[in-house]
Amino acid sequence: MSNRQLKTCVITGAAGGIGRALADEFHRAGYEVIATDRVTRPEYLSCDHYLQIDLASLVEDEAYAKNTFARIREFLGGRGLNALVNNAAIQILGGADSLTREDWRQTLDVNLVAPFLVTQALLHELESVEGSVVNISSIHARVTKKNFVAYATSKAALSAMTRALAVDLGPRVRVNAIEPAAIETGMLKAGFEGKPELYRQLEACHPQKRIGQPEEVAHLALAMVKSGMSFLQGACIGIDGGIANRLFDPG
Ligand SMILES: NC(=O)c1ccc[n+]([C@@H]2O[C@H](COP(=O)([O-])OP(=O)(O)OC[C@H]3O[C@@H](n4cnc5c(N)ncnc54)[C@H](O)[C@@H]3O)[C@@H](O)[C@H]2O)c1
């Protein structure tokens, strides 16, 4: 039997639209993929190991977190971790009039505190192989719209945490982020349910005249973790069809 050691990666939110593309991309690139999500393992997922975990429970419950990290280490079997992609997130819509304490707690736990705790727990494994972290942030980290107050705040904090961790951890571990705009996934479509005209307008207002595909985010994530990219540290890279450059002033 071959003694070849595969590169390893952990992906959270792997059952979602972008998560699935990430798992496919890393698997195709020869990584041993440890996929996690709160749902049961979907049949379509390309991964070597699957762990059903709830990141909200991981933040709330230390014993649950300890057990989760032990199970990830079991899959690693003493090997290092080449890539951690913190991809899972929730998007609770609401503005200043409606957001509740619970909305804030859930949003910050899943979108911000969990990526920190997972990164912290796997630091040794990452450092041992000059591994790197990719946080899937959002264009909402920089520009946003009505009713995205909790989500946008959590993503701005995730991008800020990416920069702070890069300073804190460099050169031991690289930490970078991707800030996608509209990507064609369940999360995006849910926001446009029953509004086909709005969806068409969304496509049209991007300079690229379309929204993005999950595979495009996955290609970028893989490129960012490559060993030849070791000067990329604390970068938050937009993949947005150009929309973040566009003013919507009339005239
Ligand atoms: N789709 C877009 O337009 C878009 C744009 C910018 C950023 N993003 C970001 O990309 C990432 C992936 O989003 P997506 O569009 O694939 O969404 P998605 O809803 O399809 O996938 C998110 C995944 O996270 C998982 N998840 C949610 N809460 C969890 C929890 N408590 N514990 C464990 N897993 C949990 C879900 O089960 C789901 O599989 C997210 O971080 C999202 O904020 C998406």
Side-chain angles (χ1 to χ4, degrees):
M1 197 176 154
S2 157
N3 211 12
R4 190 172 73 95
Q5 294 237 315
L6 293 179
K7 285 192 172 178
T8 55
C9 81
V10 169
I11 300 168
T12 69
I18 293 174
R20 174 186 178 172
L22 285 164
D24 278 348
E25 181 83 17
F26 278 80
H27 202 254
R28 248 196 324 272
Y31 280 72
E32 185 171 320
V33 175
I34 302 170
T36 76
D37 203 294
R38 70 175 159 189
V39 300
T40 53
R41 179 180 177 158
E43 271 175 32
Y44 52 72
L45 203 60
S46 314
C47 66
D48 301 278
H49 311 283
Y50 187 80
L51 201 53
Q52 188 178 357
I53 52 168
D54 176 10
L55 293 171
S57 305
L58 183 143
V59 172
E60 278 166 29
D61 181 345
E62 226 170 308
Y64 182 94
K66 242 178 139 176
N67 181 260
T68 300
F69 300 137
R71 290 175 69 193
I72 292 176
R73 284 194 198 96
E74 236 169 74
F75 289 138
L76 290 172
R79 291 171 301 160
L81 178 62
N82 299 93
L84 164 63
V85 189
N86 286 310
N87 166 68
I90 50 168
Q91 190 177 77
I92 299 177
L93 298 187
D97 297 310
S98 65
L99 280 173
T100 64
R101 281 185 167 72
E102 184 54 21
D103 293 338
W104 274 107
R105 201 184 54 76
Q106 272 187 47
T107 303
L108 293 177
D109 279 1
V110 176
N111 296 6
L112 177 66
V113 184
F116 174 78
L117 292 178
V118 177
T119 303
Q120 184 184 51
L122 297 173
L123 266 184
H124 170 73
E125 286 75 13
L126 285 161
E127 188 173 0
S128 68
V129 287
E130 295 176 3
S132 78
V133 179
V134 178
N135 292 320
I136 306 297
S137 182
S138 168
I139 190 172
H140 285 271
R142 294 168 190 265
V143 289
T144 191
K145 52 189 184 183
K146 273 187 177 293
N147 284 323
F148 280 75
V149 177
Y151 180 76
T153 304
S154 73
K155 291 298 188 177
L158 182 64
S159 290
M161 186 177 83
T162 300
R163 291 186 280 270
L165 283 178
V167 172
D168 196 56
L169 288 173
R172 296 162 54 199
V173 172
R174 292 193 298 122
V175 187
N176 295 291
I178 299 178
E179 294 177 343
I183 305 294
E184 194 176 2
T185 69
M187 182 183 275
L188 181 87
K189 284 180 185 156
F192 285 85
E193 217 176 292
K195 304 170 195 161
E197 185 46 39
L198 260 188
Y199 198 78
R200 274 190 289 278
Q201 283 175 26
L202 175 74
E203 293 175 315
C205 68
H206 287 78
Q208 288 305 96
K209 299 296 171 209
R210 65 175 179 90
I211 62 170
Q213 293 302 311
E215 293 71 24
E216 296 176 280
V217 178
H219 293 333
L220 181 56
L222 182 65
M224 288 165 88
V225 305
K226 288 198 170 149
S227 50
M229 295 296 280
S230 71
F231 206 52
L232 191 75
Q233 175 66 293
C236 297
I237 300 180
I239 178 163
D240 63 10
I243 197 168
N245 306 304
R246 187 174 168 188
L247 267 177
F248 283 90
D249 290 1

